[in-house]
C-alpha cells in the first residue's frame, strides 16, 4: 500500500474515533442532565470544565464558596449538584441524612481522574486510606489491634515528651516577646509524635526538622499533594510526571520508601533477636511491631510492601490532620480568652501540686471542658474538610437514583456550617454545643470530623489523646493571643491549613 494511503487511513480512523467520543460525550451529558432534573446547584457551568469555573482561586474564598453554596441550594434536599470536568456529576452531601446514607454504604473511594485518593497512591500504595473492597477489609481487621487502648496508653509519654520540646521552643519566643507561626511548630511536633509511635524514629525532629532529609521529604510530599489538588491540569498523570513539582514528588516518594524499608528490615532483625532472648530497650510497642506480627485467619502475614504502605498511611493521616486540629483549636482559644481561661483552670485543677506537668492516661477522661473545646474547634474549622466516593453502580439518595459514575462529595466543612443544622451562630466558637446537657441534640451523622461508618478514622482515639496532651501542655504554660496585625486566612486542601500562616504571641503564665 502507498504511504499516502496509509496516512490517509490513519487520519480517517483517528477522525472517526474523535467524532465518536464527541458524540458519545454529548449523548452521555444529555442523559445525565435529564437524570438530575430538578436537583439544585449553581447554574453557571462550563461545557468542559463544569462547575470548576465557579470556584474562587483563593483557598479561603473557596471555603466560603462551599458554605454559601450549600446554604443556598442544599437546605431542603440535603445535597447540591455540581458538575466536574468532562461533565462528571458530583453530589455534594451537606446534611446528616445524606451523610448517613453515604457513610453507611460501601461506595468505594474515588480514584478516577478527579479522585484525590489516586494522587496519594504513589506514596501510600494500597494502604488503608486508599484501598477498597476485600483488601481494605482484611487490612482493617489486621490493623485494628494497633489502636487498642492498651497499645495507646504508653503513647501518653511520647505525647508529653514531644509537647515539652514544643513548649521549650515557644518559651524562647515568649521570653523574647516575639510572635511565632503556630502551624509550622505544631506540625513538627505532631510529625515527631507519629514517627515515634509508628516506628520509634528517634531523631529530634522538632529541632533538626528544617535540615532532616526525611522530614523535609515528607513535608514536601504533603505540600505537593495540596499543589496537585489545586491545579486541575496536574490531575493528568502525564502532566504530573513531567512538571517540576510532580518530578520532585516521585523523587521524594522513592526516598521515604527507602528509609521506611530500611527501618522495617532492621526491626525484623531485632524481632528475631528478641525471639532468641535479646530484648531491645524500647518501653512501648509501636505500630511497626503490631504490623510485623499481624496475621490473618489463614496465617498469612502482611508483606513488606503492605507494611510500608500502612506505615506511610499512618504518617500521612496522623500528622497533618492533628496539626491542623491543634492549631485551629488554639486559634479559637486565643480568640476567646474566657474559654482559654476555663481550660487552664481545669488543667491546673487536674495537675494540682504534682511535681511534673505531664498528663497521665487517667487524666485524659477528666478534661471535660477541654474536650468540648476540641470538639467545637474541629466543627468550626474542620481539619479534614472533604472526602469523596465514586459510585461504581447505581445509588439511592432518598427516592432519587444516582447513576453509576457519580462522584459523591462528603462535604463535612459545609455541613458544619449549615444554618438549618447548627443554627445562625454556626460561625461562632461555642463549646457548650458539646456539653453533657446539649450533646443529645446532635443527630446521628451531624458531627463527623473523623468520618463515620466502616470507613471511619481508625486513629481517632490516638488523635483525641494527642490533642488533649499537647493542648494541655501549651495552655498550662502560656496565655495565647492572636497577632492583631495579621489576619489568619483558611486554605483548604486535603486538610484545613492557613494561607499565610497563623501568628500568635505567647505569654508565660
Ligand atoms: C484530628 C486528627 C484526625 C482527623 C480529623 C482524621 C480524620 C479522618 C477522616 C475524616 C478519615 C476518613 C477519610 C476518608 O474517608 O477519605 C480518616 C481515615 C483514616 N485515618 Fe484519620 N484523622 C485524624 C487522625 C488520624 C491519626 C492520628 C491516624 C493514625 C495514627 C489516622 C489514620 C487514619 C487511617 C489509617 C484512615 C483510613 C481508615 C480506613 O479507611 O479504614 N488518622 N481520618
Amino acid at each position: 500500500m502507498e504511504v499516502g494511503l496509509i496516512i490517509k487511513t490513519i487520519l480517517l480512523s483517528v477522525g472517526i474515533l474523535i467524532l465518536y467520543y464527541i458524540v458519545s460525550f454529548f449523548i452521555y451529558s444529555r442523559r445525565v442532565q435529564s437524570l438530575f432534573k430538578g436537583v439544585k446547584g449553581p447554574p453557571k457551568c462550563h461545557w468542559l470544565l463544569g462547575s470548576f469555573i465557579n470556584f474562587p482561586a483563593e483557598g479561603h474564598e473557596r471555603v466560603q464558596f462551599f458554605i454559601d453554596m450549600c446554604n443556598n441550594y442544599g437546605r431542603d434536599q440535603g445535597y447540591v449538584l455540581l458538575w466536574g470536568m468532562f461533565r462528571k456529576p458530583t453530589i455534594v452531601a451537606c446534611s446528616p441524612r445524606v451523610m448517613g446514607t453515604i457513610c453507611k454504604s460501601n461506595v468505594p473511594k474515588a480514584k478516577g481522574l478527579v479522585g484525590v485518593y489516586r494522587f496519594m497512591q504513589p506514596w501510600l500504595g494500597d494502604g488503608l486510606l486508599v484501598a477498597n473492597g476485600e483488601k481494605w477489609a482484611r487490612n482493617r481487621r489486621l490493623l485494628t489491634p494497633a489502636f487498642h487502648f492498651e497499645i495507646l496508653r504508653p503513647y501518653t509519654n511520647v505525647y508529653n515528651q514531644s509537647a515539652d520540646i514544643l513548649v521549650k521552643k515557644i518559651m524562647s519566643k515568649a521570653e523574647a516577646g516575639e510572635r511565632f507561626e503556630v502551624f509550622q511548630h505544631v506540625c513538627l511536633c505532631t510529625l515527631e509524635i507519629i514517627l515515634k509511635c509508628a516506628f520509634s524514629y528517634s531523631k529530634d525532629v522538632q529541632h533538626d526538622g528544617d535540615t532532616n532529609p526525611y522530614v523535609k521529604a515528607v513535608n514536601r510530599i504533603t505540600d505537593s499533594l495540596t499543589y496537585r489538588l489545586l491545579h486541575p491540569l496536574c490531575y493528568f498523570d502525564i502532566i504530573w510526571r513531567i512538571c517540576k513539582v510532580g518530578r520532585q514528588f516521585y523523587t521524594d516518594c522513592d526516598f521515604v520508601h527507602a528509609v521506611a524499608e530500611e527501618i522495617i528490615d532492621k526491626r525484623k532483625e531485632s524481632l528475631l533477636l528478641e525471639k532468641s532472648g535479646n530484648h531491645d530497650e524500647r518501653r512501648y510497642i509501636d505500630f511497626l511491631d503490631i504490623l510485623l506480627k499481624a496475621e490473618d485467619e489463614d496465617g498469612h502475614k502482611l508483606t513488606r510492601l503492605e507494611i510500608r504502605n500502612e506505615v506511610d498511611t499512618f504518617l500521612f493521616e496522623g500528622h497533618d490532620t492533628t496539626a491542623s486540629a491543634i492549631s485551629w483549636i488554639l486559634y479559637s482559644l486565643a480568640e476567646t480568652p474566657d474559654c482559654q481561661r476555663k481550660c487552664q483552670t481545669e488543667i491546673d485543677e487536674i495537675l494540682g501540686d504534682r511535681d511534673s506537668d505531664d498528663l497521665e492516661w487517667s487524666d485524659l477522661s477528666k478534661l471535660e471542658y477541654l474536650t468540648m473545646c476540641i470538639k467545637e474547634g474541629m466543627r468550626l474549622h474542620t481539619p479534614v474538610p472533604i472526602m469523596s466516593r465514586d459510585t461504581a453502580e447505581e445509588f439511592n439518595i432518598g427516592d432519587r437514583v444516582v447513576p453509576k459514575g457519580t462522584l459523591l462529595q462528603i462535604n463535612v466543612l459545609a455541613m458544619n456550617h449549615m444554618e438549618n443544622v447548627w443554627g445562625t451562630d454556626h460561625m461562632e466558637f461555642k463549646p457548650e454545643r458539646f456539653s453533657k446537657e446539649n450533646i443529645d441534640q446532635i443527630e446521628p451523622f451531624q458531627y463527623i470530623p473523623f468520618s463515620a461508618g466502616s470507613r471511619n478514622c481508625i486513629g481517632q482515639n490516638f488523635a483525641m489523646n494527642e490533642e488533649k496532651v499537647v493542648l494541655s501542655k501549651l495552655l498550662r504554660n502560656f496565655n495565647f493571643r492572636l497577632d492583631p496585625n495579621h489576619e489568619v486566612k483558611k486554605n483548604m486542601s486535603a486538610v484545613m491549613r492557613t494561607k499565610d500562616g497563623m501568628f500568635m504571641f505567647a505569654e508565660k503564665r
Side-chain angles (χ1 to χ4, degrees):
M1 218 194 299
E2 271 178 53
V3 178
L5 190 62
I6 295 177
I7 293 175
K8 270 186 202 159
T9 316
I10 292 175
L11 285 178
L12 190 69
S13 315
V14 171
I16 291 172
L17 206 65
I18 292 175
L19 197 68
Y20 168 78
Y21 277 117
I22 292 176
V23 172
S24 319
F25 173 66
F26 279 105
I27 294 174
Y28 162 81
S29 170
R30 289 197 78 117
R31 191 179 74 83
V32 169
Q33 253 169 327
S34 73
L35 279 171
F36 283 104
K37 217 168 169 194
V39 183
K40 290 187 200 154
K44 203 167 136 203
C45 179
H46 188 268
W47 68 273
L48 183 67
L49 297 176
S51 309
F52 263 114
I53 54 155
N54 292 304
F55 293 7
E58 293 288 348
H60 67 285
E61 288 173 7
R62 213 168 310 133
V63 169
Q64 199 54 47
F65 168 82
F66 274 114
I67 295 175
D68 292 344
M69 178 187 80
C70 289
N71 274 293
N72 286 337
Y73 301 105
R75 285 176 84 107
D76 307 329
Q77 56 199 21
Y79 57 91
V80 171
L81 176 66
L82 280 185
W83 294 99
M85 271 206 286
F86 303 109
R87 290 268 150 179
K88 184 150 176 96
T90 304
I91 291 288
V92 182
C94 56
S95 69
R97 178 179 50 85
V98 179
M99 291 294 179
T101 310
I102 299 176
C103 290
K104 282 189 275 185
S105 73
N106 287 325
V107 184
K109 299 255 171 131
K111 295 193 209 163
L113 181 66
V114 294
V116 290
Y117 301 93
R118 184 173 58 86
F119 303 165
M120 300 168 185
Q121 250 168 334
W123 181 23
L124 308 181
D126 260 342
L128 211 53
L129 179 70
V130 176
N132 283 322
E134 268 305 302
K135 165 118 192 162
W136 166 80
R138 171 201 181 236
N139 287 5
R140 177 94 188 196
R141 266 197 314 278
L142 286 180
L143 266 61
T144 297
F147 294 89
H148 189 273
F149 76 92
E150 286 296 353
I151 302 293
L152 298 186
R153 190 203 302 255
Y155 293 163
T156 321
N157 284 339
V158 177
Y159 308 150
N160 275 306
Q161 283 161 12
S162 292
D164 280 341
I165 300 175
L166 178 62
V167 166
K168 253 194 205 150
K169 286 171 74 187
I170 296 178
M171 191 63 83
S172 67
K173 300 284 177 190
E175 283 169 354
E178 283 172 18
R179 69 175 195 167
F180 68 101
E181 204 284 309
V182 180
F183 227 93
Q184 126 204 6
H185 287 288
V186 173
C187 205
L188 280 180
C189 174
T190 57
L191 180 57
E192 180 175 276
I193 289 175
I194 195 66
L195 283 168
K196 283 183 180 165
C197 298
F199 45 60
S200 302
Y201 191 79
S202 55
K203 303 255 164 45
D204 182 356
V205 170
Q206 294 194 69
H207 281 119
D208 67 7
D210 298 339
T211 48
N212 178 318
Y214 183 74
V215 174
K216 277 168 70 180
V218 170
N219 280 334
R220 262 199 313 265
I221 289 177
T222 47
D223 286 348
S224 52
L225 286 173
T226 305
Y227 178 91
R228 193 172 184 189
L229 210 63
L230 301 178
H231 293 83
L233 266 184
C234 294
Y235 287 19
F236 296 96
D237 280 345
I238 189 154
I239 295 181
W240 183 238
R241 279 198 172 271
I242 53 175
C243 79
K244 198 171 161 215
V245 185
R247 277 183 285 131
Q248 182 65 48
F249 168 79
Y250 285 105
T251 311
D252 286 332
C253 284
D254 289 344
F255 177 71
V256 298
H257 287 158
V259 174
E261 275 165 17
E262 196 187 319
I263 293 173
I264 294 167
D265 291 342
K266 277 198 186 142
R267 181 65 59 82
K268 272 186 177 164
E269 279 168 26
S270 71
L271 281 178
L272 281 177
L273 283 175
E274 251 178 54
K275 265 193 190 158
S276 59
N278 289 326
H279 290 283
D280 86 18
E281 306 269 284
R282 282 178 302 112
R283 272 163 295 141
Y284 59 89
I285 298 170
D286 61 22
F287 289 139
L288 184 52
D289 290 319
I290 309 252
L291 295 174
L292 282 165
K293 288 177 185 163
E295 259 180 23
D296 64 19
E297 308 75 45
D298 305 324
H300 294 131
K301 286 182 168 292
L302 293 165
T303 64
R304 183 180 185 237
L305 177 64
E306 284 175 322
I307 292 175
R308 192 192 80 192
N309 288 339
E310 299 305 350
V311 166
D312 285 338
T313 299
F314 289 164
L315 276 193
F316 171 61
E317 266 296 307
H319 94 278
D320 252 11
T321 48
T322 41
S324 168
I326 293 170
S327 304
W328 282 109
I329 294 161
L330 205 60
Y331 169 87
S332 281
L333 291 173
E335 243 191 346
T336 51
D338 278 354
C339 299
Q340 186 173 166
R341 245 186 316 276
K342 270 189 173 175
C343 289
Q344 286 167 328
T345 309
E346 181 178 74
I347 295 157
D348 292 347
E349 276 170 15
I350 289 173
L351 290 176
D353 49 10
R354 286 187 208 164
D355 292 341
S356 151
D357 274 358
D358 282 358
L359 270 286
E360 289 167 14
W361 173 259
S362 58
D363 296 330
L364 302 184
S365 55
K366 297 180 196 151
L367 291 160
E368 283 182 23
Y369 188 72
L370 180 66
T371 305
M372 284 159 55
C373 291
I374 289 176
K375 288 185 175 168
E376 172 65 346
M378 289 203 288
R379 179 199 68 82
L380 187 59
H381 305 291
T382 325
V384 177
I386 293 178
M387 298 160 259
S388 58
R389 305 284 186 268
D390 209 341
T391 52
E393 46 199 59
E394 272 188 359
F395 185 72
N396 281 61
I397 296 183
D399 48 13
R400 182 165 292 272
V401 180
V402 172
K404 173 181 163 180
T406 302
L407 203 70
L408 302 177
Q409 189 186 87
I410 304 175
N411 199 318
V412 185
L413 171 82
M415 181 170 69
N416 285 346
H417 294 285
M418 292 298 284
E419 276 186 31
N420 60 343
V421 177
W422 294 97
T424 49
D425 59 358
H426 62 92
M427 290 310 273
E428 286 167 40
F429 181 72
K430 290 197 164 170
E432 291 66 36
R433 291 181 216 272
F434 294 94
S435 67
K436 271 187 198 145
E437 298 75 47
N438 294 335
I439 198 118
D440 288 346
Q441 289 168 27
I442 296 179
E443 289 179 55
F445 299 99
Q446 176 177 342
Y447 180 67
I448 52 166
F450 294 108
S451 189
S454 59
R455 299 292 313 239
N456 69 354
C457 175
I458 199 170
Q460 54 188 291
N461 292 330
F462 179 102
M464 285 300 286
N465 295 343
E466 177 181 348
E467 287 174 45
K468 286 182 193 175
V469 173
V470 174
L471 283 164
S472 295
K473 282 267 181 187
L474 293 175
L475 294 164
R476 169 80 164 166
N477 284 283
F478 307 104
N479 296 317
F480 291 95
R481 160 173 81 78
L482 295 176
D483 175 359
N485 299 317
H486 174 80
E487 190 193 345
V488 181
K489 289 181 180 165
K490 286 197 161 68
N491 193 8
M492 191 165 67
S493 63
V495 302
M496 189 61 82
R497 294 166 182 260
T498 62
K499 184 168 179 285
D500 303 308
M502 179 188 285
F503 288 94
M504 274 187 206
F505 289 98
E507 180 200 19
K508 191 170 175 244
R509 286 183 68 205

